[in-house]
Amino acid sequence: MKISNPLTLLISLLIYTTPQSVQAQQSVDSSSLSAPLEPKLEQLKAQLWSAQANSSVWQQRQDLTQTRLRQAIAPYNPSVDIAATGWRSGQREQTFALSQPVDVWGQRKAQQQVLSQQLDAERLRQSRYQAEFEVLFNAHVALVLNANRTAHIAQQQLQLQEEALVAAQQRFTAGAIAQVEVQRIALQVTRLQNQHQQTLWQQEQAAQQFLSIGSAANINMPTSAQVMQWRLDPP
């Protein structure tokens, strides 16, 4: 399995830290695992980030700072004053005054620098927020894929042991083995059934936690059943 990006690396690290009893059966029916989910997950992550970014307070503050900076950079508009000064030779006299604000002591330039620094700080906050979001998304995806794989392996283990129990019962009927051997295999089936139920619960919990990321986003999120079907290619 090629490690092409941090998401795949994080998933791989979680998968290879599963219990040894489960890892022993990872090769069972691995052909049923689906194709890579990377393009679909990257698209979903982009949609969720876009929804998060558009609704975040820091985005509104960044837009406000940009507006104030554009206003500070724009040149002052000159003003024209017209005033009546009296009458002369039967005609009304008027004066026209054209004025232009002057940047005294570099106050305008200083204001631009302050606003530019504020905008840089908002952009840095945006980058940090996005990085935290991607870590959260990737971690939840890794937990989902690990839980799905664990449940799949547990199901295969249970199926194999149930088949072994049927075979043992047939051999007992034929007198080839003792009843104690059948009981031993039956106990193993019971243990694997409990283990399988536990992995199904963990699988559902991982799916619900992943879907909670997009609970406030107005996008088409996959269903819990769809998330629980996500698979990795076999290593």
Side-chain angles (χ1 to χ4, degrees), residues 11 14-26 28 33 142-158 192 195-204 206 228 230-232:
I11 294 169
L14 283 174
I15 286 176
Y16 288 108
T17 56
T18 53
Q20 295 297 325
S21 60
V22 176
Q23 285 186 3
Q25 296 293 332
Q26 285 187 351
V28 177
L33 300 179
L143 290 174
V144 165
L145 293 177
N146 189 43
N148 290 352
R149 188 180 182 92
T150 302
H152 173 78
I153 295 170
Q155 181 183 13
Q156 296 302 310
Q157 289 178 324
L158 176 59
L192 290 176
Q195 179 178 316
H196 183 227
Q197 290 299 320
Q198 179 69 17
T199 60
L200 289 178
W201 180 83
Q202 294 173 347
Q203 185 184 20
E204 184 176 357
M228 291 171 66
W230 288 354
R231 297 286 190 272
L232 279 180

Side-chain angles (χ1 to χ4, degrees), residues 112-210:
Q112 293 176 8
Q113 292 177 347
V114 170
L115 291 174
S116 180
Q117 292 174 356
Q118 289 180 358
L119 184 59
D120 290 341
E122 293 296 338
R123 288 171 176 168
L124 180 61
R125 187 179 292 108
Q126 174 186 1
S127 299
R128 185 174 66 248
Y129 182 85
Q130 184 174 5
E132 292 173 352
F133 167 79
E134 291 185 355
V135 169
L136 177 66
F137 181 90
N138 292 348
H140 277 294
V141 169
L143 290 174
V144 165
L145 293 177
N146 189 43
N148 290 352
R149 188 180 182 92
T150 302
H152 173 78
I153 295 170
Q155 181 183 13
Q156 296 302 310
Q157 289 178 324
L158 176 59
Q159 181 179 348
L160 289 175
Q161 200 63 29
E162 287 175 340
E163 293 174 354
L165 178 60
V166 172
Q169 290 172 338
Q170 293 174 348
R171 294 178 63 193
F172 171 72
T173 302
I177 59 174
Q179 186 176 6
V180 65
E181 182 65 19
V182 177
Q183 293 174 343
R184 183 186 65 82
I185 298 176
L187 287 175
Q188 292 178 352
V189 170
T190 301
R191 178 181 60 82
L192 290 176
Q193 286 175 340
N194 294 333
Q195 179 178 316
H196 183 227
Q197 290 299 320
Q198 179 69 17
T199 60
L200 289 178
W201 180 83
Q202 294 173 347
Q203 185 184 20
E204 184 176 357
Q205 290 298 308
Q208 292 298 330
Q209 290 176 5
F210 171 80

